[in-house]
Amino acid sequence: MSRALKVSGFLGLAVMMGVGMYQNFLNATGAGVPAWMIGGHAHLGVLSILAIVLGFAIPAMKVTGTLEQVVTWTFILGQWGLPLVPWLAVGGGVAVLHPTAFLWGGLLMISMLIMTWQAATQPEAAVGGGGDVDPTPADD
């Protein structure tokens, strides 16, 4: 599961960088960058970095089974859904998609609240507080 998060994170960064290059082109030609494009670009960048971090945090905190699947897929859906809302709803003219931002944001919150609970309730050694925690990244 952590592999899916890492792949989604790095792919998201590549897409975000491509959008950034397009934004630079728009600025260079004097066209200017629409606000809806900037918002999606920023959200995808930050959420992609967090996906990579989460890909390492899940195994480090020994989150497994159903919780691991829920955290992984709620985050990935939110990571892509949230930036796509302004791109498609405003830029693409599909205004009916605006309310889905609450769905994507809610999924992101679910994943983070589960991880918060895991960090708060696991023994100290399981959340990086010392002990015999293996410092090497998980082998997916």
Side-chain angles (χ1 to χ4, degrees):
M1 291 279 105
S2 63
R3 178 177 295 196
L5 280 160
K6 293 171 193 170
V7 169
S8 185
F10 286 117
L11 178 60
L13 287 174
V15 170
M16 183 269 311
M17 290 171 185
V19 171
M21 291 173 62
Y22 179 64
Q23 290 176 342
N24 185 61
F25 168 78
L26 291 175
N27 279 330
T29 60
V33 179
W36 58 265
M37 189 180 293
I38 296 168
H41 173 258
H43 278 90
L44 185 57
V46 170
L47 292 171
S48 296
I49 292 167
L50 289 176
I52 296 166
V53 170
L54 194 55
F56 286 101
I58 288 174
M61 293 175 60
K62 298 178 178 31
V63 178
T64 60
T66 302
L67 281 181
E68 178 186 15
Q69 291 178 357
V70 170
V71 169
T72 297
W73 294 110
T74 55
F75 193 90
I76 290 173
L77 289 171
Q79 172 200 357
W80 289 95
L82 199 59
L84 284 174
V85 169
W87 289 346
L88 297 175
V90 180
V94 189
V96 71
L97 292 177
H98 277 296
T100 66
F102 295 102
L103 169 65
W104 311 125
L107 291 175
L108 290 165
M109 289 172 61
I110 288 169
S111 67
M112 291 298 99
L113 289 171
I114 291 171
M115 291 304 289
T116 300
W117 179 255
Q118 292 297 302
T121 61
Q122 286 189 1
E124 188 68 20
V127 292
D132 32 341
V133 175
D134 182 4
T136 57
D139 192 18
D140 291 328

